[in-house]
Amino acid sequence: MSRTTSLPKRIKIHFMFFPAILSDSTTVLEFQFSCSIPAPLHSENDYFGVCSEPVIKDNVVVVYEVLEEMLDNGFPLATESNILKELIKPPTILRTVVNTITGSTNVGDQLPTGQLSVVPWRRTGVKYTNNEAYFDVIEEIDAIIDKSGSTITAEIQGVIDACVKLTGMPDLTLSFMNPRLLDDVSFHPCVRFKRWESERILSFIPPDGNFRLLSYHVSAQNLVAIPVYVKHNISFRDSSSLGRFEITVGPKQTMGKTIEGVTVTSQMPKGVLNMNLTPSQGTHTFDPVTKMLSWDVGKINPQKLPSLKGTMSLQAGASKPDENPTINLQFKIQQLAISGLKVNRLDMYGEKYKPFKGIKYMTKAGKFQVRT
Amino acid sequence: MSAAPAYSEDKGGSAGPGEPEYGHDPASGGIFSSDYKRHDDLKEMLDTNKDSLKLEAMKRIVAMIARGKNASDLFPAVVKNVACKNIEVKKLVYVYLVRYAEEQQDLALLSISTFQRGLKDPNQLIRASALRVLSSIRVPIIVPIMMLAIKEAASDMSPYVRKTAAHAIPKLYSLDSDQKDQLIEVIEKLLADKTTLVAGSVVMAFEEVCPERIDLIHKNYRKLCNLLIDVEEWGQVVIISMLTRYARTQFLSPTQNESLLEENAEKAFYGSDEDEAKGAGSEETAAAALPARKPYVMDPDHRLLLRNTKPLLQSRSAAVVMAVAQLYFHLAPKAEVGVIAKALVRLLRSHSEVQYVVLQNVATMSIKRRGMFEPYLKSFYIRSTDPTQIKILKLEVLTNLANETNIPTVLREFQTYIRSMDKDFVAATIQAIGRCATNIGRVRDTCLNGLVQLLSNRDELVVAESVVVIKKLLQMQPAQHGEIIKHLAKLTDNIQVPMARASILWLIGEYCEHVPRIAPDVLRKMAKSFTAEEDIVKLQVINLAAKLYLTNSKQTKLLTQYVLSLAKYDQNYDIRDRARFTRQLIVPSEQGGALSRHAKKLFLAPKPAPVLESSFKDRDHFQLGSLSHLLNAKATGYQELPDWPEEAPDPSVRNVEEEDLSLIETHVGLLGEYTEVPEWTKCSNREKRKEKEKPFYSDSEGESGPTESADSDPESESESDSKSSSESGSGESSSESDNEDQDEDEEKGRGSESEQSEEDGKRKTKKKVPEGKGEASSSDEGSDSSSSSSESEMTSESEEEQLEPASWRRKTPPSSKSAPATKEISLLDLEDFTPPSVQPVSPPAIVSTSLAADLEGLTLTDSTLVPSLLSPVSGVGRQELLHRVAGEGLAVDYTFSRQPFSGDPHMVSVHIHFSNSSDTPIKGLHVGTPKLPAGISIQEFPEIESLAPGESATAVMGINFCDSTQAANFQLCTQTRQFYVSIQPPVGELMAPVFMSENEFKKEQGKLMGMNEITEKLMLPDTCQSDHIVVQKVTATANLGRVPCGTSDEYRFAGRTLTGGSLVLLTLDARPAGAAQLTVNSEKMVIGTMLVKDVIQALTQ
């Protein structure tokens, strides 16, 4: 099975090694677990900032200690990163210094209170001087656009990622202007499902730090606004060893927002030997071995649409490739949730202070493909 | 470890700069000495006294293990450190031990005693990790020790330790399967556990050890269903998959009526199934269509399972969603299965591994329940970036979903796929088109035309695959397709792929009568190139020749003979054999040749058309989501999913009598019951709301409840309290156990109570203190009588003291709710609201001695009563709070003095003995910020200024344990250090003796029957035959007062719990010699149960 996760091989070996102990049990559980292991290891504020091979090598002991807590005889034990952090404190420079002086350790000697409580995802005794709660509404458009530019399928997948740094045991409620938009949702365990069912309000005691509060799906039945279009003209001629290549990217239905971070990638047919292209903006590369063309466009200026034009040199003598490459598109639009989802308000109960609240919207391309 | 080669490549990666590389150090002296010298420095470090050096050494050793190097020769040095106090060193030693213990069994035994000590540690984390490591050491000799440890841990106070015990069960089982019977006993016990933490782990153990003992589940079935929502994700998966199997054995098939109908009119049924709303209707019509069968009624327990798992489809964990999906697929009525589609489609967004598994399952489901996924057709469209495996699975699903209405779109989509660069995928697409053509008659021609067009494709693979598919299609209706066969015949010149050539030849031979002119010509061409063909093609050439000879011998006789003679000298014996065989058959020889007369029948018999069907057709006999399903082969450990029973087994086996299901859990978390909703939304005043909510969270925050004095009037509150519990107002309707009216009232009452009392209820249920049955109604008169009785007896007590119990007995009708009790006291007796230490209280124990003396002349009949009463037994002996070593010279012990604590009558007084064994004075001993569970409060002892070396001191502190055996954790601070300590009270110390007459005892006992009575049989050992010993043993275990008794072999004891003031009555009936019966009556059932256990243990030891 091909693996697309961008993790170093070594971690994968570890991860596949442990779950394999179960003789026959639910397969998804195993994969799910192997995917969940890196989460506490590499997410921000957790153990290591990034989960790269040298980092793992330097902290092999911590990895061992953490895995030791996460698994017992191949069965997952504690996977909440809040609990793990109480058991094994993440290594920081400050802590290393303190430890060498005082002789204390990174390993907690008390069972984290969360393990036994009804709110296992939250540590007790959280304290912050600045109380903040940030929510990012991030939507991804998955789409397949056909040759003529019409949409074959388009879906919006959204998530609300939160970064909550609040003292004590706050109880938050988040309400939407248009909750009916959400077709299919899945929650972090902290969200009270009954309340969502009856009132369409998210009510929860948040975990400490970063977590994914909710992921949702806006169904394909609702018409999805596609914010970009791609004009393409890719042709191979039978006799000649030259092909023409031309792509133009332009905005459409962006609600007045700029499209940023545009990247175009395309897997060219094997017959293409090299490409001789000139972009109107940005940089492009073509790897003659993997036949991968990528064009880093940047921002789209509606007055001057970015384009990439040029020729392809084909294998001499070979017949023209009968397939046309598909174009994959990446882009970002700040301050816009393409589905139109809007957060109405965020209230906090249970604590006396006034938190700082922030909500950010973003639309991104998910699996956005244009067939040519 | 499979990672070994990778690690060894980059040696020293984690060792950091400047560190020597062990074993590669040239200084360590050549090949011979390196073996025993290389780890010398590590050994040295491990032998030092410094924790930091040990830690460094252990870290290096673990890094060595990680790099795949053998560190087993360090075993003796490492094992020594298993008793190290530094917890990180300890952890790393554990890692090492688990890795190497199996290789060095004898040395590993050295560590066992440390674990045994660890199992008795007051810190639950240490107990748990000791058990974890002990059970992970695969040394067969210690099996009995492991067994014992598991048994003990299974009844541990801490759910975390019990969870660890559940994890240890499969480990022990894999080490020694002879222990199965004993392990099943432990599993049975743990299955009855009511905490969510344990549930998942014990079910996992059940699945590993005794999946066939489905009878163990009966009693716990409803509990598991109800707990499910609050179990952690991994546990949910295991429980759901086990419950799926359970349900298959216990309930009737919900589709038994439909399945009959389905056979008759499958098409029609699918039509109605497309519409989810109509689904229920179709079920009805199905039932109506079969009046002969008795109508199907779903077992309520079956319904309970379906209802409780449904919200889990919204879980963030793909594993849980998949588990629920397979449960619905296997168990739900057809009309309800549809709900899982949306969730499964959502999973397609996750990691490609998860996607792969989900798609496999969707493929299986989509064969049986096509309608379910039809609305999501477009979600299965293929992207060029998908991995090939995923593409092929998606194609499978798309093919399964194709029907008359959507086939045009599907085919258009397929056309795009054919142009893909991924050739395997293109081949799969062509086969998919073939399947669509066979399934949907209307598009057969279109598909065939499309495939024929593909024959002119430049890619050979595509053409070959098309030919193969066309061959299969043509076999179904050859007569109309002479043209296509002609076209194919022309292709023989171009197509080089052997399989395709063979297919064409076979087609022409088979249908040679449709192409009578072309067939001989093709044979002529093939004969020409015969020697250059592949074997598979040669065989078909022989076939073609034989068939033509039989139908058209005039034109082809010579050709056939030519081909056969060529074949006769072929290198391949298979072809030679075939040629000889064919010749004998078709060319009649002199000796009769009975067979050759039938040659035509043999060669040209009508052949059945092949059926193109999905490879997922019969996979659903494997439980979906299992590894076996994924592999389509039985994996070891796979549990067969049984068929539905014909007759439903007795549903009453699941009835649980005194189980109090609705009180088991507080659902605060995800998907939980949200009882607060109505309250919160109604509440308009933000300030008020805030104040009300706070106590709710004090639960987990560890604030002490009683200090939160609410401003509500206690009179009105208790009024509403009792009203709501008797009237059973509306409120939440979550009570699952319909058979238990009492609980329902309880629940509803709570729903309409004010926040403050609701909070208490929550806290109470959290601690699992069940409510007294019938207490609400009888409490009023009960309290009257009890107060009057106490008045008459405790004459020497002060006014206030007498007032208190009477008043709170009256004010808190349903039970002894601790928090309101204390609160109301303070509100009633306003002058007592000042800090409790000022309150002058005459200690009842002193009273009791004089009282006993008074009573002696009046009521005593039993002579032995006096000594046992007069000498108040101080409870359990000294217990260690802080060991000398851990405390750096400060040793702390504690005893329960059984003296009433002079500050607050609800507190247990604990004598703490400090002794300084270090050589420096310890200064400023005091209690630091306690981190206490809800309700528990501490009255600290006055600070001890200084404790000189060698000296010891005693201090008294009070702890209000709130009638629970939860440990009070606090810090002992000196000027320099802080120590975390915890005191866990034995249940017997949570009460104080009460004195009553025999009649009063019987009267009180009469009120505490039913659920409040716990009876246990026991065998009294010979040592317990004398009265004195029995009384001493009981009073040593529990702080109870003896009640006089007329009969000689009966002992009665009475007490009240300290915080709640609930009566605890203990009766020991020893009339038949040896066999005895112990009865405890108390409205605090948990206390009662634990007391019975403790007393029995004390008596039988």
Side-chain angles (χ1 to χ4, degrees):
Chain A
M1 191 185 319
S2 72
R3 312 180 123 261
T4 51
T5 32
S6 59
L7 287 160
K9 206 174 210 148
R10 177 160 318 174
I11 315 175
K12 283 183 207 157
I13 294 167
H14 268 286
F15 299 163
M16 294 314 290
F17 179 73
F18 284 101
I21 297 168
L22 292 167
S23 52
D24 182 7
S25 85
T26 352
T27 38
V28 191
L29 179 128
E30 288 163 24
F31 288 126
Q32 174 86 33
F33 183 70
S34 55
C35 298
S36 80
I37 289 180
L41 288 182
H42 72 184
S43 73
E44 218 183 311
N45 292 343
D46 283 3
Y47 287 91
F48 323 118
V50 280
C51 197
S52 63
E53 196 164 323
V55 171
I56 295 282
K57 254 194 255 171
D58 288 348
N59 295 288
V60 77
V61 176
V62 180
V63 173
Y64 254 92
E65 284 171 347
V66 173
L67 283 177
E68 175 79 10
E69 291 303 327
M70 291 179 80
L71 275 170
D72 187 6
N73 194 27
F75 192 75
L77 198 59
T79 44
E80 278 295 336
S81 84
N82 268 311
I83 285 175
L84 285 172
K85 270 195 276 182
E86 271 186 73
L87 278 169
I88 315 285
K89 302 194 178 68
T92 58
I93 295 167
L94 179 70
R95 189 163 284 127
T96 324
V97 173
V98 170
N99 284 352
T100 38
I101 295 165
T102 63
S104 55
T105 63
N106 278 334
V107 181
D109 59 352
Q110 287 290 323
L111 186 70
T113 41
Q115 269 279 15
L116 300 173
S117 82
V118 280
V119 227
W121 53 86
R122 190 170 177 87
R123 295 189 286 140
T124 50
V126 183
K127 276 206 181 75
Y128 287 103
T129 42
N130 296 326
N131 289 296
E132 329 166 290
Y134 297 109
F135 293 87
D136 294 353
V137 180
I138 302 167
E139 297 195 333
E140 293 194 353
I141 306 175
D142 288 358
I144 302 177
I145 312 286
D146 82 352
K147 217 180 198 144
S148 59
S150 57
T151 312
I152 292 179
T153 158
E155 289 175 329
I156 298 173
Q157 303 280 349
V159 293
I160 300 184
D161 281 341
C163 175
V164 177
K165 294 180 174 173
L166 296 174
T167 308
M169 273 283 166
D171 196 292
L172 304 178
T173 53
L174 186 77
S175 61
F176 297 104
M177 303 279 258
N178 37 11
R180 304 275 154 211
L181 269 177
L182 308 184
D183 176 46
D184 181 37
V185 278
S186 74
F187 301 113
H188 189 274
C190 69
V191 178
R192 296 176 178 111
F193 186 63
K194 282 272 149 88
R195 191 122 190 246
W196 169 257
E197 287 264 278
S198 58
E199 299 170 63
R200 299 270 146 182
I201 286 176
L202 294 174
S203 156
F204 55 98
I205 298 172
D208 185 37
N210 293 308
F211 64 101
R212 178 153 294 177
L213 177 65
L214 161 87
S215 50
Y216 60 89
H217 175 255
V218 179
S219 68
Q221 276 82 9
N222 299 4
L223 272 180
V224 178
I226 303 291
V228 286
Y229 70 87
V230 178
K231 262 201 277 184
H232 51 84
N233 183 6
I234 303 170
S235 59
F236 307 97
R237 259 164 293 167
D238 233 340
S239 51
S240 120
S241 64
L242 280 182
R244 267 210 324 201
F245 185 93
E246 189 179 340
I247 304 182
T248 312
V249 188
K252 112 185 163 184
Q253 296 174 295
T254 60
M255 334 231 166
K257 303 280 197 291
T258 354
I259 303 173
E260 301 169 354
V262 182
T263 319
V264 178
T265 51
S266 180
Q267 172 76 54
M268 303 308 284
K270 285 196 186 67
V272 178
L273 289 180
N274 212 339
M275 301 184 86
N276 186 14
L277 305 170
T278 17
S280 69
Q281 71 176 72
T283 52
H284 81 280
T285 50
F286 174 73
D287 184 344
V289 181
T290 57
K291 313 288 180 200
M292 186 62 83
L293 169 75
S294 72
W295 175 29
D296 191 358
V297 184
K299 231 179 241 176
I300 294 184
N301 178 5
Q303 270 75 50
K304 191 171 158 287
L305 294 179
S307 64
L308 183 68
K309 280 184 213 171
T311 53
M312 302 176 276
S313 48
L314 305 172
Q315 213 157 12
S319 57
K320 75 162 196 172
D322 55 358
E323 73 270 3
N324 273 344
T326 46
I327 298 167
N328 294 301
L329 217 58
Q330 286 297 324
F331 55 83
K332 260 195 296 207
I333 307 170
Q334 304 280 4
Q335 299 307 319
L336 172 76
I338 198 82
S339 68
L341 187 77
K342 268 221 143 51
V343 172
N344 185 18
R345 57 181 301 150
L346 174 72
D347 296 309
M348 186 184 77
Y349 308 109
E351 294 286 338
K352 295 226 162 56
Y353 54 83
K354 259 201 148 35
F356 186 80
K357 302 176 266 191
I359 298 204
K360 211 168 76 182
Y361 297 93
M362 181 152 64
T363 299
K364 290 202 288 192
K367 296 172 180 167
F368 197 101
Q369 290 200 339
V370 182
R371 292 176 179 164
T372 61
Chain B
M1 276 217 175
S2 46
Y7 279 117
S8 50
E9 276 168 25
D10 39 54
K11 51 200 175 186
S14 69
E19 278 178 25
E21 190 48 53
Y22 312 105
H24 296 272
D25 191 354
S28 63
I31 314 156
F32 301 108
S33 55
S34 72
D35 256 4
Y36 54 90
K37 267 202 176 168
R38 58 176 177 172
H39 296 316
D40 274 359
D41 52 343
L42 281 176
K43 281 181 190 154
E44 238 166 67
M45 284 165 91
L46 287 169
D47 286 341
T48 54
N49 290 323
K50 279 192 184 162
D51 279 354
S52 56
L53 279 179
K54 285 183 182 177
L55 186 60
E56 184 56 36
M58 281 315 298
K59 280 188 173 170
R60 288 198 201 166
I61 292 170
V62 169
M64 274 167 68
I65 297 176
R67 267 177 286 149
K69 289 189 182 153
N70 188 3
S72 59
D73 52 339
L74 284 163
F75 201 92
V78 173
V79 151
K80 265 185 268 175
N81 287 299
V82 75
C84 180
K85 284 288 167 196
N86 182 312
I87 200 143
E88 191 166 9
V89 174
K90 208 174 204 166
K91 280 234 146 123
L92 295 176
V93 172
Y94 286 177
V95 168
Y96 182 90
L97 267 180
V98 172
R99 170 75 181 78
Y100 286 113
E102 202 170 0
E103 294 173 21
Q104 312 225 358
Q105 307 218 345
D106 294 341
L107 284 169
L109 291 177
L110 294 176
S111 61
I112 303 299
S113 63
T114 315
F115 297 129
Q116 283 177 306
R117 219 173 309 135
L119 289 170
K120 302 251 180 333
D121 198 280
N123 183 340
Q124 49 184 341
L125 188 63
I126 299 200
R127 285 204 301 277
S129 67
L131 179 62
R132 253 178 79 182
V133 181
L134 182 68
S135 55
S136 302
I137 296 178
R138 294 179 54 83
V139 178
I141 301 175
I142 62 161
V143 163
I145 299 176
M146 274 161 77
M147 192 68 227
L148 210 67
I150 291 175
K151 275 183 178 166
E152 220 157 85
S155 41
D156 198 279
M157 284 299 297
S158 155
Y160 184 71
V161 179
R162 295 202 296 272
K163 182 188 176 78
T164 316
H167 282 275
I169 291 171
K171 288 189 250 179
L172 178 55
Y173 180 66
S174 73
L175 185 63
D176 181 4
S177 50
D178 295 341
Q179 305 290 322
K180 188 170 179 179
D181 292 337
Q182 287 194 62
L183 286 174
I184 290 177
E185 274 171 39
V186 182
I187 290 175
E188 189 169 7
K189 183 174 177 188
L190 284 170
L191 274 173
D193 203 295
K194 295 191 191 78
T195 40
T196 51
L197 204 57
V198 183
S201 305
V202 68
V203 171
M204 195 266 301
F206 171 85
E207 291 279 79
E208 293 267 315
V209 178
C210 53
E212 72 283 351
R213 288 291 304 275
I214 211 94
D215 55 297
L216 295 179
I217 303 299
H218 291 321
K219 288 274 178 229
N220 302 300
Y221 173 80
R222 287 179 196 158
K223 184 192 77 191
L224 283 174
C225 285
N226 287 320
L227 282 185
L228 192 58
I229 220 154
D230 290 324
V231 175
E232 95 283 35
E233 286 157 1
W234 316 111
Q236 284 173 347
V237 176
V238 181
I239 296 178
I240 291 173
S241 108
M242 186 275 292
L243 287 179
T244 309
R245 240 179 49 239
Y246 177 85
R248 270 294 185 99
T249 59
Q250 299 300 319
F251 307 127
L252 289 177
S253 166
T255 49
Q256 54 183 354
N257 291 337
E258 292 164 32
S259 54
L260 271 177
L261 195 77
E262 197 179 324
E263 282 161 22
N264 304 335
E266 195 170 354
K267 278 270 145 62
F269 196 83
Y270 276 139
S272 68
D273 208 326
E274 274 167 36
D275 191 346
E276 225 63 81
K278 275 187 203 162
S282 71
E283 200 181 16
E284 275 172 34
T285 52
L290 297 152
R293 285 185 80 109
K294 90 173 168 230
Y296 168 74
V297 181
M298 190 185 272
D299 190 302
D301 285 331
H302 191 172
R303 174 53 64 203
L304 174 75
L305 177 61
L306 292 177
R307 193 176 53 214
N308 280 2
T309 47
K310 195 173 169 190
L312 294 177
L313 284 173
Q314 245 70 47
S315 170
R316 68 172 169 172
S317 159
V320 175
V321 175
M322 191 58 233
V324 178
Q326 64 86 16
L327 180 130
Y328 262 74
F329 181 76
H330 289 301
L331 300 180
K334 199 161 234 167
E336 290 169 44
V337 181
V339 296
I340 65 175
K342 202 187 265 180
L344 284 176
V345 170
R346 183 181 72 228
L347 295 189
L348 294 180
R349 282 273 302 177
S350 49
H351 304 272
S352 58
E353 293 83 8
V354 174
Q355 229 183 88
Y356 177 74
V357 178
V358 171
L359 278 170
Q360 288 242 340
N361 289 296
V362 170
T364 308
M365 289 185 201
S366 59
I367 289 172
K368 271 222 154 161
R369 308 272 154 87
R370 179 159 38 161
M372 198 161 91
F373 290 100
E374 260 180 34
Y376 305 100
L377 184 76
K378 285 190 172 174
S379 303
F380 297 101
Y381 279 7
I382 293 152
R383 289 160 209 281
S384 62
T385 42
D386 287 332
T388 308
Q389 248 90 357
I390 302 283
K391 282 180 183 165
I392 288 172
L393 279 171
K394 279 187 172 175
L395 203 59
E396 174 72 38
V397 175
L398 284 175
T399 317
N400 290 342
L401 293 184
N403 62 11
E404 300 260 339
T405 44
N406 61 23
I407 189 73
T409 15
V410 173
L411 282 180
R412 208 174 315 133
E413 194 57 25
F414 282 175
Q415 270 171 1
T416 334
Y417 300 160
I418 283 167
R419 284 204 300 273
S420 165
M421 283 175 236
D422 185 342
K423 290 304 163 212
D424 292 338
F425 169 54
V426 173
T429 309
I430 292 168
Q431 292 196 350
I433 294 175
R435 267 182 52 207
C436 285
T438 41
N439 294 342
I440 303 158
R442 196 165 64 87
V443 293
R444 195 166 294 154
D445 292 345
T446 331
C447 288
L448 210 48
N449 285 336
L451 289 171
V452 170
Q453 273 169 28
L454 282 180
L455 292 177
S456 50
N457 194 297
R458 239 173 303 120
D459 193 277
E460 233 175 38
L461 269 169
V462 175
V463 179
E465 201 67 40
S466 318
V467 170
V468 175
V469 173
I470 288 173
K471 181 196 110 183
K472 288 179 183 167
L473 286 182
L474 285 186
Q475 245 183 301
M476 291 173 188
Q477 36 187 179
Q480 303 128 25
H481 296 295
E483 280 307 305
I484 294 173
I485 296 172
K486 274 181 207 158
H487 184 88
L488 284 173
K490 278 182 209 155
L491 283 172
T492 44
D493 296 340
N494 304 321
I495 296 180
Q496 294 306 321
V497 180
M499 187 63 205
R501 286 175 80 88
S503 291
I504 295 174
L505 292 178
W506 185 88
L507 262 181
I508 293 171
E510 189 67 20
Y511 306 115
C512 49
E513 67 268 37
H514 300 296
V515 280
R517 285 157 173 271
I518 294 170
D521 201 45
V522 171
L523 183 62
R524 182 183 60 82
K525 280 184 182 166
M526 294 317 293
K528 225 164 147 186
S529 63
F530 185 84
T531 44
E533 297 292 348
E534 285 283 327
D535 292 348
I536 182 175
V537 184
K538 284 179 183 165
L539 289 176
Q540 288 308 325
V541 175
I542 298 171
N543 251 350
L544 173 66
K547 284 173 186 169
L548 284 179
Y549 182 83
L550 289 172
T551 49
N552 187 2
S553 58
K554 204 194 283 173
Q555 273 185 303
T556 56
K557 192 174 179 186
L558 282 171
L559 262 178
T560 308
Q561 275 167 352
Y562 177 66
V563 167
L564 287 175
S565 5
L566 278 179
K568 196 175 171 184
Y569 301 105
D570 198 272
Q571 282 185 323
N572 188 310
Y573 54 78
D574 205 12
I575 293 167
R576 294 197 300 272
D577 283 354
R578 178 76 66 92
R580 208 170 300 129
F581 162 76
T582 312
R583 187 191 288 275
Q584 289 305 316
L585 261 181
I586 56 172
V587 187
S589 56
E590 290 83 49
Q591 307 99 326
L595 271 176
S596 61
R597 263 183 280 134
H598 302 287
K600 207 162 188 171
K601 275 188 202 156
L602 282 172
F603 275 99
L604 292 169
K607 296 170 183 68
V611 187
L612 295 176
E613 59 184 17
S614 165
S615 55
F616 288 86
K617 186 92 199 290
D618 286 320
R619 278 216 197 170
D620 62 327
H621 65 267
F622 288 117
Q623 185 168 1
L624 289 187
S626 66
L627 183 62
S628 303
H629 173 264
L630 191 73
L631 301 174
N632 199 17
K634 214 172 151 182
T636 45
Y638 174 72
Q639 293 299 320
E640 205 73 57
L641 191 65
D643 272 333
W644 295 102
E646 287 290 310
E647 290 291 323
D650 182 17
S652 63
V653 290
R654 282 181 297 277
N655 290 346
V656 186
E657 280 132 34
E658 41 196 291
E659 216 56 67
D660 204 350
L661 291 171
S662 53
L663 281 176
I664 284 169
E665 270 299 315
T666 49
H667 301 293
V668 179
L670 163 75
L671 320 171
E673 307 292 343
Y674 191 76
T675 50
E676 291 85 351
V677 174
E679 299 293 331
W680 288 21
T681 42
K682 271 180 235 157
C683 194
S684 56
N685 185 345
R686 176 83 55 86
E687 271 317 294
K688 202 173 161 189
R689 186 189 305 181
K690 253 186 195 159
E691 197 175 64
K692 282 182 172 179
E693 277 165 16
K694 197 159 187 190
F696 174 53
Y697 296 112
S698 65
D699 253 351
S700 25
E701 242 177 309
E703 280 175 39
S704 50
T707 55
E708 301 270 357
S709 60
D711 48 352
S712 63
D713 183 29
E715 282 294 336
S716 67
E717 193 200 324
S718 59
E719 236 174 61
S720 71
D721 215 359
S722 55
K723 211 198 290 168
S724 56
S725 58
S726 57
E727 281 179 7
S728 73
S730 62
E732 60 158 282
S733 55
S734 70
S735 165
E736 309 286 3
S737 52
D738 303 1
N739 50 345
E740 282 161 336
D741 294 7
Q742 173 70 25
D743 304 335
E744 216 164 332
D745 278 1
E746 183 61 48
E747 282 274 84
K748 286 173 181 167
R750 194 183 310 147
S752 55
E753 268 169 22
S754 70
E755 277 295 322
Q756 178 69 46
S757 59
E758 182 176 323
E759 174 251 314
D760 297 327
K762 286 250 171 206
R763 181 185 303 156
K764 197 163 65 249
T765 45
K766 194 184 158 204
K767 280 181 269 161
K768 283 172 227 74
V769 180
E771 291 291 325
K773 212 177 199 174
E775 184 61 26
S777 54
S778 67
S779 66
D780 257 2
E781 48 169 333
S783 65
D784 275 350
S785 62
S786 73
S787 68
S788 63
S789 66
S790 64
E791 249 169 78
S792 64
E793 275 182 36
M794 304 183 180
T795 41
S796 60
E797 270 196 40
S798 70
E799 259 323 89
E800 294 156 18
E801 272 296 297
Q802 281 184 10
L803 251 171
E804 270 179 27
S807 59
W808 49 251
R809 286 293 292 171
R810 209 175 288 138
K811 293 305 176 218
T812 56
S815 74
S816 48
K817 289 181 178 173
S818 53
T822 21
K823 183 191 72 207
E824 281 156 28
I825 292 163
S826 55
L827 285 167
L828 266 177
D829 315 322
L830 275 174
E831 65 270 32
D832 290 342
F833 193 50
T834 46
S837 53
V838 196
Q839 202 179 16
V841 177
S842 47
I846 301 165
V847 176
S848 65
T849 39
S850 61
L851 184 72
D854 286 346
L855 289 168
E856 199 177 5
L858 298 169
T859 49
L860 290 192
T861 51
D862 198 340
S863 55
T864 53
L865 176 64
V866 191
S868 68
L869 258 179
L870 285 177
S871 56
V873 196
S874 82
V876 194
R878 277 196 181 205
Q879 295 189 5
E880 185 177 86
L881 193 59
L882 186 66
H883 188 263
R884 177 164 57 81
V885 180
E888 293 172 353
L890 175 68
V892 187
D893 293 341
Y894 67 95
T895 48
F896 293 97
S897 64
R898 295 206 170 165
Q899 308 271 327
F901 187 65
S902 56
D904 184 337
H906 301 307
M907 286 191 169
V908 179
S909 89
V910 184
H911 281 212
I912 307 202
H913 314 276
F914 303 94
S915 59
N916 186 353
S917 59
S918 71
D919 40 41
T920 48
I922 294 169
K923 286 186 177 155
L925 262 175
H926 65 282
V927 174
T929 47
K931 204 169 154 192
L932 297 167
I936 293 185
S937 57
I938 283 186
Q939 180 68 42
E940 301 158 13
F941 56 84
E943 184 174 330
I944 296 173
E945 303 276 58
S946 173
L947 197 62
E951 229 177 82
S952 52
T954 306
V956 184
M957 68 186 289
I959 304 175
N960 183 349
F961 283 107
C962 217
D963 287 0
S964 85
T965 52
Q966 274 179 301
N969 300 311
F970 57 92
Q971 284 175 311
L972 264 183
C973 304
T974 67
Q975 249 172 5
T976 49
R977 286 288 310 269
Q978 298 179 337
F979 305 106
Y980 290 90
V981 292
S982 83
I983 294 182
Q984 185 162 29
V987 66
E989 302 301 329
L990 296 174
M991 47 198 75
V994 190
F995 299 95
M996 47 174 68
S997 67
E998 193 174 351
N999 285 341
E1000 281 165 346
F1001 186 90
K1002 283 185 173 158
K1003 196 172 156 192
E1004 290 296 334
Q1005 198 177 23
K1007 286 180 205 155
L1008 293 168
M1009 301 301 279
M1011 290 221 304
N1012 296 323
E1013 184 175 273
I1014 297 139
T1015 307
E1016 202 72 50
K1017 286 212 166 58
L1018 69 152
M1019 288 298 290
L1020 276 181
D1022 293 329
T1023 50
C1024 282
Q1025 294 308 336
S1026 97
D1027 284 353
H1028 184 68
I1029 291 172
V1030 170
V1031 172
Q1032 204 181 16
K1033 281 197 170 173
V1034 173
T1035 46
T1037 316
N1039 194 8
L1040 294 172
R1042 177 130 193 232
V1043 173
C1045 180
T1047 41
S1048 61
D1049 281 336
E1050 205 169 307
Y1051 308 92
R1052 293 187 181 144
F1053 303 87
R1056 273 185 200 281
T1057 60
L1058 278 167
T1059 312
S1062 329
L1063 271 179
V1064 180
L1065 308 175
L1066 188 144
T1067 319
L1068 181 69
D1069 187 351
R1071 246 166 290 175
Q1077 183 172 319
L1078 181 72
T1079 311
V1080 170
N1081 301 71
S1082 171
E1083 60 190 31
K1084 298 254 179 186
M1085 271 168 48
V1086 173
I1087 289 200
T1089 328
M1090 292 198 295
L1091 188 60
V1092 167
K1093 215 175 91 193
D1094 285 3
V1095 170
I1096 288 181
Q1097 204 184 3
L1099 285 174
T1100 49
Q1101 257 171 16

